[in-house]
Amino acid sequence: QVQLQESGPGRVKPSRTLSLTCTVSGGSFSSGAYYWSWIRQHPGKGLEWIGYVYYSGITYYNPSLESRLSISVDTSQNQFSLNLSSVTAADTAVYYCARVEKVRGIIYWGQGTLVTVSS
Amino acid sequence: DIQMTQSPSSVSASVGDRVTITCRASQGISSWLAWYQQKPGKAPKVLIYAASSLQSGVPSRFSGSGSGTDFTLTISSLQPEDFATYYCQQAKSFPFTFGPGTKVDIK
């Protein structure tokens, strides 16, 4: 059974960097079939794709966040990480990590972690 | 980016009702579309992928159709556990954008 778990601070001060890590258990982390992704949901709102990292380290970033965003992968630990710099209150959201397949969609999600940007 | 729209934004329905939700893409996406169900405080759950393929374990009362720019999710006989918010998502090109959601609540 594949499981994903987000970890990181639940509160970040404005202008600082938001850092989260997703730990994956079960399945094949280094399969070429998966895009290891971050998705967020602002309170009471819809879903926003942040970006993905491939097991090889190739990344894709949402253009709306690209200038502040970095996603990396550590295949030895079955982990991938998100760093979002210069955060504002508009970055307050539930952040999900997910295993994405182009054909089958997003079957596996983390439970989500609420990150609040506040001083 | 490919923009996704959904209608209606909300629908009130009764148990046993047939519910249809529409999703439209701003450009053709062939059959690269998935549907998700989300309940409060939970991650979304995939129901349909490739526009019309039922994800394993999902009840057969859920069905999807469409291709190109126009898609439909149908719940043939609404059950109490189906009251939730539904999202479509295109998988044609990154970023894999989502629709704004359709909330199905109790009439």
Side-chain angles (χ1 to χ4, degrees), chain B residues 62-73:
Chain B
F62 291 94
S63 64
S65 65
S67 67
T69 59
D70 294 314
F71 302 86
T72 299
L73 173 71

Side-chain angles (χ1 to χ4, degrees), chain A residues 35 37 39 41 44-49 52 60-64 96 100-112, chain B residues 1 32-34 36 38 41-46 48-50 54-56 87 89 91-100:
Chain A
Y35 301 90
S37 299
I39 295 163
Q41 187 168 34
K45 302 296 184 183
L47 298 155
E48 179 183 23
W49 195 284
Y52 75 76
Y60 172 86
Y61 301 151
N62 189 321
S64 67
Y96 293 101
V100 177
E101 299 177 51
K102 184 171 172 70
V103 175
R104 291 187 169 270
I106 311 169
I107 300 173
Y108 297 104
W109 298 72
Q111 66 184 21
Chain B
D1 297 2
W32 295 106
L33 186 98
Y36 298 84
Q38 188 179 33
K42 300 293 188 182
K45 170 188 171 183
V46 63
I48 302 286
Y49 64 92
L54 192 68
Q55 173 61 27
S56 175
Y87 295 93
Q89 174 238 318
K92 171 75 162 49
S93 62
F94 284 103
F96 284 176
T97 40
F98 294 87

Side-chain angles (χ1 to χ4, degrees), chain A residues 56-110:
Chain A
S56 61
I58 293 173
T59 55
Y60 172 86
Y61 301 151
N62 189 321
S64 67
L65 298 167
E66 186 169 15
S67 62
R68 300 191 289 130
L69 186 60
S70 175
I71 300 175
S72 59
V73 65
D74 183 346
T75 54
S76 68
Q77 299 290 322
N78 283 7
Q79 292 179 331
F80 61 105
S81 298
L82 165 74
N83 284 287
L84 184 65
S85 64
S86 305
V87 298
T88 70
D91 295 308
T92 293
V94 173
Y95 286 77
Y96 293 101
C97 60
R99 191 185 87 173
V100 177
E101 299 177 51
K102 184 171 172 70
V103 175
R104 291 187 169 270
I106 311 169
I107 300 173
Y108 297 104
W109 298 72

